[in-house]
Amino acid sequence: MIQIGEFHTLEILRDTEPGLFLGNDEGDEVLLPNRYVPEVFNIGEDIEVFVYLDNEERLIATTDEPFIINGEFAMLRCNEVTSHGAFLDFGLVKELFCPFKEQAFPMKKGGWYLVHCFVDEVSERLVASSKTNRFLDNKDLTVEEFEEVNIIISHPSDMGMNVIVNDKHFGLIYKDNIFQDLHVGDRVKGVVKKIRPGNKLDIALGQIGYRNIEPNAQHIFDYLQDNSGFLPLNDKSSPEAIKKELEMSKKTFKKAIGSLYKDKKITIESDGIRLV
């Protein structure tokens, strides 16, 4: 079956006046309108397309790549708000509809919102929801402690920053573990620092423990090379100065320069560190 909101590799069946008809092994067909037909093609060859419903609710294929597909999260811009809901730009001619009931907060024209894309069971249309938490579940975790994960910054809280983990679970980065500017919708790498009772996930940016030394040491080494071999920070510097200059904690900084010093790549001086 050709599912809407997804990419499909389909066979070119025939060339008609409105465009190419594509099909799968199950006998399902969909039209690829002329505006998307490649200059060179052969009947019987495969083509990858995205399938959705056009403005007249007809199944249609396109070679354009949308900003979001069924089951994904993404930051999208609101193009218009009507009496029915909001319409978001998702990279195609048709906009992605977000009903009022699926808006965590009322959307405004020109605003950017983190949304989840799904197929509405009633209308069978592709729609968006900014109520992202309802598409996440920590009941059956698919991650373990110290595992590297992909995270999306969801929304701030009093304790830190809520995040989406591997597009499946919700987690939290505590304030004292944030050493760089984070914005809603940012995609960054993280590590499952701890799994608390109730399957609550504590997330750390980057890697933790001994695995965090090498990349941060490399970051400092690169900084030194780009700044005449000198960094006006050492193990006596304030946490604020280190965070401002390097976007890392003092504890991480001390481990990193300790690694560089042990490898005889730097000298630690009273006013900073210097490349050997």
Side-chain angles (χ1 to χ4, degrees):
M1 184 176 180
I2 299 177
Q3 301 284 353
I4 68 169
E6 299 178 9
F7 286 101
H8 296 271
T9 299
L10 303 174
E11 180 185 353
I12 299 176
L13 300 177
R14 58 188 181 275
D15 186 8
T16 67
E17 185 176 347
L20 299 179
F21 273 90
L22 315 176
N24 60 16
D25 294 336
E26 300 172 357
D28 302 314
E29 295 187 3
V30 62
L31 174 69
L32 178 68
N34 284 318
R35 64 184 297 168
Y36 306 116
V37 173
E39 293 183 6
V40 179
F41 65 88
N42 294 300
I43 301 297
E45 69 182 7
D46 290 340
I47 185 172
E48 185 179 52
V49 294
F50 178 76
V51 178
Y52 68 113
L53 299 179
D54 66 10
N55 288 325
E56 296 180 16
E57 306 301 324
R58 298 174 301 185
L59 194 68
I60 209 79
T62 177
T63 52
D64 286 348
E65 187 170 343
F67 302 146
I68 191 173
I69 67 173
N70 183 30
E72 286 189 344
F73 298 87
M75 287 289 290
L76 299 181
R77 182 181 185 275
C78 177
N79 282 348
E80 185 181 9
V81 178
T82 70
S83 58
H84 301 289
F87 291 85
L88 313 177
D89 177 13
F90 80 126
L92 303 181
V93 174
K94 183 180 180 180
E95 296 165 322
L96 186 62
F97 180 58
C98 184
F100 287 121
K101 67 177 182 179
E102 293 294 344
Q103 298 176 25
F105 300 97
M107 293 181 173
K108 297 181 180 180
K109 181 178 180 180
W112 288 81
Y113 302 93
L114 178 64
V115 298
H116 179 78
C117 179
F118 68 103
V119 178
D120 180 65
E121 294 181 355
V122 177
S123 66
E124 297 184 341
R125 293 188 300 175
L126 204 62
V127 296
S129 174
S130 61
K131 296 180 179 181
T132 54
N133 275 357
R134 78 181 187 90
F135 300 96
L136 304 173
D137 185 10
N138 283 29
K139 182 178 180 180
D140 298 311
L141 293 180
T142 59
V143 297
E144 299 177 350
E145 287 189 353
F146 310 118
E147 180 179 338
E148 184 173 289
V149 292
N150 296 311
I151 63 175
I152 303 173
I153 306 303
S154 177
H155 57 279
S157 73
D158 293 338
M159 294 185 292
M161 194 70 74
N162 290 285
V163 298
I164 297 169
V165 181
N166 285 354
D167 288 334
K168 296 179 180 180
H169 310 304
F170 47 83
L172 177 70
I173 306 176
Y174 283 91
K175 285 181 178 179
D176 57 1
N177 286 323
I178 299 177
F179 302 101
Q180 64 189 72
D181 290 334
L182 296 175
H183 305 92
V184 174
D186 284 352
R187 295 175 180 267
V188 294
K189 290 289 186 180
V191 169
V192 180
K193 187 176 181 180
K194 187 175 183 179
I195 299 179
R196 297 183 182 273
N199 282 352
K200 295 180 179 179
L201 299 178
D202 288 1
I203 304 298
L205 294 174
Q207 293 183 315
I208 59 177
Y210 71 92
R211 287 170 290 185
N212 198 29
I213 297 175
E214 186 176 345
N216 283 298
Q218 185 64 50
H219 175 61
I220 294 172
F221 186 78
D222 292 341
Y223 180 100
L224 289 166
Q225 288 186 314
D226 294 338
N227 291 273
S228 303
F230 182 75
L231 172 64
L233 297 171
N234 57 27
D235 54 359
K236 305 297 183 184
S237 300
S238 69
E240 293 75 21
I242 294 169
K243 179 179 179 180
K244 180 179 180 181
E245 192 66 34
L246 298 172
E247 295 187 340
M248 66 177 64
S249 68
K250 183 170 181 176
K251 183 178 179 180
T252 298
F253 173 73
K254 291 176 69 174
K255 286 183 179 180
I257 65 172
S259 175
L260 292 171
Y261 182 78
K262 182 179 179 180
D263 291 341
K264 298 181 179 179
K265 292 183 178 180
I266 64 168
T267 58
I268 300 176
E269 304 174 0
S270 60
D271 57 346
I273 59 175
R274 192 179 302 275
L275 278 178
V276 173

